[in-house]
């Protein structure tokens, strides 16, 4: 029987589908990134959105062990999860500071993003008990968040030296990758540097200036400055158009057991809606994953140009005839398996290659990581052993060491 890859001893409470995350691969990727940085440049591991689906707590711990200096999250609740799990490293919250969150920032020692003069004004009026570390976000062309360059300079002039507001950093975010539009990135960087030099001219020094995320980190070494903010590369993926520039390992595998096997004969149908009619006898396997796990779903994209539109239409025409273009969604030991009929909420039928595929065989399943359901159990691996488990029904404290579960 195909067992899929070498079967690791997993506790039976895991159930029939799970995500395997290789924390050694995460550490390897952090080490590769650090090789590109000069020793003075800090590395922020971006662990927003539950660590891009991998598990923010586990990725944070692995990245910090491998030498990351700081963590980046989007919201305070994401930061709180880390603090609750005893992650003590500095955490920058990207969402601009809101006055009502002041106590959380101070009690949990989060670093705040200041993104508008208005929010900053309220900070000045507050009688803070302790000093709050802030990074100023400057809008240089993305036009999503951040102060305008002039405002940023004014703001620093007002708060510099204030004992309750420590301006530790200043940053901006690029709207495109350098490979998509290098000029635009250069222009954003120039605007940012103008802010930096007018601050320096006035005698204000801000220790952590940062602009690069994964793509600019690879292409624009002269923009690394005091810190880079890295997500994508840590998770073993490349920004679009940057494939294989540095060696990375993919830490992510979704696996499922075949839970039922049967033969279906010509003329019979498979799945909801009876959309799929069998032409010649097939042996099928049922796997316990579906669209509730984000299996078979993708973010809706608008066509970028006319050619793109044509491609999309042709894909839909193929799909109408039951031919799915693109990446295979299910594989059994490297063999792609055809999905038959509609993908259900939590069950999907696949065509089996031979009698060796049976109930209990393990398949790997393609699910886009950033929107993979957090209900899928995560199994954390290091040195080919299970070192932790996160299940949706348990408290985070059920992350256990090998041998502790029964
Ligand atoms: C998500 C994010 C990053 C990381 O981007 P990657 O391309 O995944 O490396 C960096 N900075 C900010 C502000 C972000 O929101």
């Amino acid at each position: 029987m195909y067992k899929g890859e070498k079967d690791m001893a997993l506790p039976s409470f895991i159930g029939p589908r799970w995500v395997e995350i290789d924390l050694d691969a995460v550490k390897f990727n952090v080490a590769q990134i650090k090789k590109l940085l000069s020793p003075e440049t800090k590395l922020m591991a971006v662990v927003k959105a539950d660590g891009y689906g991998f598990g923010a707590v586990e990725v944070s711990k692995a990245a910090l062990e491998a030498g990351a200096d700081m963590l980046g999250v989007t919201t305070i609740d994401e930061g709180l999860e880390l603090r609750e799990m005893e992650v003590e490293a500095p955490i920058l919250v990207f969402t601009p500071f809101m006055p009502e969150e002041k106590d959380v920032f101070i009690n949990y020692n989060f670093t705040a993003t200041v993104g508008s003069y208005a929010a900053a004004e309220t900070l000045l009026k507050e009688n803070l008990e302790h000093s709050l570390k802030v990074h100023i976000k400057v809008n240089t062309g993305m036009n999503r968040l951040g102060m305008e360059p002039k405002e940023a300079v004014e703001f620093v002039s007002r708060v510099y030296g204030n004992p309750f507001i420590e301006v530790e950093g200043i940053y901006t975010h690029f709207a495109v990758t350098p490979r998509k539009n290098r000029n635009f990135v250069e222009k954003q960087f120039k605007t940012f540097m103008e802010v930096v030099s007018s601050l320096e001219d006035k005698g204000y020094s801000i220790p952590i200036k940062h602009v690069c995320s994964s793509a600019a980190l690879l292409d624009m070494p002269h923009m690394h400055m005091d810190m880079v903010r890295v997500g994508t590369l840590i998770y073993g993926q490349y920004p679009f158009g940057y494939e294989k520039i540095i060696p990375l390992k993919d830490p992510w595998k979704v696996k499922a057991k075949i839970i039922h096997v049967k033969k279906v004969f010509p003329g019979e149908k498979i799945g909801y809606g009876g959309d799929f009619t069998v032409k010649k006898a097939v042996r099928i396997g049922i796997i316990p994953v579906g669209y509730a796990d984000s299996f078979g779903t993708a973010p809706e994209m608008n066509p970028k140009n006319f050619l793109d539109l044509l491609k999309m239409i042709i894909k839909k025409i193929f799909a109408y005839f039951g031919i799915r273009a693109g990446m295979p969604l299910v594989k059994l030991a490297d063999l792609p398996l055809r999905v038959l009929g509609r993908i259900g909420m939590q069950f999907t039928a696949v065509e089996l290659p031979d009698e060796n595929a049976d109930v209990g065989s393990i398949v790997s399943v393609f699910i886009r990581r950033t929107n993979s359901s957090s209900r899928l159990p995560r199994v954390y691996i290091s040195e080919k052993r299970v070192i932790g488990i996160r299940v949706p029904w348990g408290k985070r404290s059920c992350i256990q060491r090998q041998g502790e579960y029964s």
Side-chain angles (χ1 to χ4, degrees):
M1 180 170 90
Y2 287 101
K3 272 288 191 184
E5 279 159 63
K6 241 207 171 99
D7 211 3
M8 230 163 324
L10 293 180
S12 54
F13 67 68
I14 280 291
R17 80 274 195 273
W18 63 91
V19 188
E20 270 174 35
I21 291 161
D22 179 357
L23 293 174
D24 296 335
V26 171
K27 290 185 194 169
F28 174 88
N29 296 340
V30 171
Q32 294 304 312
I33 296 160
K34 279 184 73 90
K35 282 190 197 167
L36 304 177
L37 306 177
S38 79
E40 299 83 56
T41 303
K42 290 177 191 289
L43 172 59
M44 171 193 283
V46 178
V47 295
K48 64 191 183 193
D50 193 26
Y52 289 44
F54 286 64
V57 172
E58 293 75 10
V59 171
S60 295
K61 290 181 176 175
L64 290 165
E65 266 179 51
D69 303 281
M70 196 172 188
L71 302 168
V73 299
T74 302
T75 49
I76 51 170
D77 57 289
E78 293 180 338
L80 285 169
E81 185 188 16
L82 298 177
R83 289 286 186 252
E84 288 297 317
M85 293 304 290
E86 286 153 20
V87 174
E88 282 160 15
I91 298 176
L92 175 66
V93 179
F94 295 141
T95 304
F97 173 81
M98 308 225 218
E100 65 269 29
E101 295 171 349
K102 175 195 71 173
D103 291 339
V104 180
F105 271 88
I106 288 178
N107 293 342
Y108 290 88
N109 194 20
F110 294 146
T111 306
T113 290
V114 174
S116 76
Y117 210 93
E121 279 289 314
T122 60
L123 252 187
L124 289 173
K125 288 194 203 108
E126 295 278 345
N127 242 335
L128 298 179
E129 275 164 45
H130 301 280
S131 82
L132 181 65
K133 280 200 179 106
V134 303
H135 286 215
I136 293 157
K137 175 129 194 211
V138 188
N139 172 38
T140 55
M142 171 106 152
N143 282 321
R144 203 174 57 172
L145 299 171
M147 291 193 193
E148 296 313 308
K150 236 179 85 197
E151 282 180 313
V153 177
E154 273 169 29
F155 178 71
V156 177
S157 311
R158 280 201 55 197
V159 303
Y160 198 82
N162 181 317
F164 299 114
I165 299 175
E166 179 187 344
V167 185
E168 181 193 63
I170 185 164
Y171 71 107
T172 194
H173 197 42
F174 295 138
V176 292
T177 66
R179 294 217 173 163
K180 178 130 198 261
N181 189 343
R182 195 183 175 100
N183 285 342
F184 198 80
V185 171
E186 293 280 11
K187 207 172 128 217
Q188 283 193 266
F189 186 61
K190 186 165 165 271
T191 307
F192 182 75
M193 290 311 286
E194 282 163 10
V195 174
V196 168
S197 32
S198 51
L199 290 172
E200 277 167 4
D201 289 347
K202 292 184 193 313
Y204 308 132
S205 90
I206 301 181
I208 311 181
K209 299 171 279 298
H210 47 111
V211 299
C212 286
S213 52
S214 292
L217 180 157
L218 293 174
D219 266 347
M220 312 300 239
H222 60 294
M223 297 183 187
H224 288 177
M225 308 195 76
D226 305 303
M227 183 165 79
V228 291
R229 307 183 302 264
V230 194
T232 304
L233 297 172
I234 291 182
Y235 300 98
Q237 294 202 306
Y238 300 87
F240 183 73
Y242 285 78
E243 282 65 30
K244 308 244 151 59
I245 294 189
I246 54 168
L248 295 176
K249 288 185 182 166
D250 186 357
W252 174 270
K253 276 191 197 125
V254 184
K255 299 207 174 154
K257 282 184 190 162
I258 295 175
I259 51 161
H260 186 65
V261 168
K262 67 180 295 163
K263 263 199 149 154
V264 187
F265 296 96
E268 293 184 320
K269 295 179 187 298
I270 297 175
Y272 278 120
D275 289 356
F276 183 85
T277 308
V278 172
K279 294 204 185 69
K280 55 178 203 245
V282 280
R283 210 168 142 261
I284 66 168
I286 308 299
I287 53 171
V289 281
Y291 62 80
D293 309 300
S294 296
F295 177 63
T297 64
E300 170 122 355
M301 299 279 193
N302 289 326
K304 289 188 276 298
N305 49 44
F306 188 68
L307 190 66
D308 216 34
L309 176 67
L310 279 185
K311 274 194 212 155
M312 283 182 177
I313 294 171
I314 290 167
K315 251 189 173 167
K316 289 284 178 209
I317 294 172
F318 274 106
Y320 177 78
F321 290 107
I323 303 164
R324 281 174 224 264
M327 194 165 324
L329 293 174
V330 183
K331 278 184 172 180
L332 177 62
D334 283 339
L335 216 65
L337 303 186
R338 197 151 73 105
V339 170
L340 303 176
R342 279 193 213 169
I343 291 171
M345 192 185 288
Q346 292 181 295
F347 289 121
T348 301
V350 294
E351 182 174 356
L352 299 179
D354 56 51
E355 298 294 324
N356 283 323
D358 210 342
V359 171
S361 295
I362 295 171
V363 297
S364 58
V365 179
F366 175 81
I367 295 181
R368 191 178 283 272
R369 19 200 106 190
T370 43
N371 56 335
S372 68
S373 164
S374 60
R375 287 186 311 275
L376 288 173
R378 290 346 189 223
V379 174
Y380 295 95
I381 314 278
S382 173
E383 290 168 1
K384 302 205 163 49
R385 292 190 335 140
V386 177
I387 60 157
I389 284 172
R390 181 179 124 187
V391 282
W393 45 266
K395 295 206 175 73
R396 289 301 293 241
S397 58
C398 79
I399 296 166
Q400 290 166 331
R401 296 265 141 195
Q402 169 95 346
E404 282 179 17
Y405 49 74
S406 52

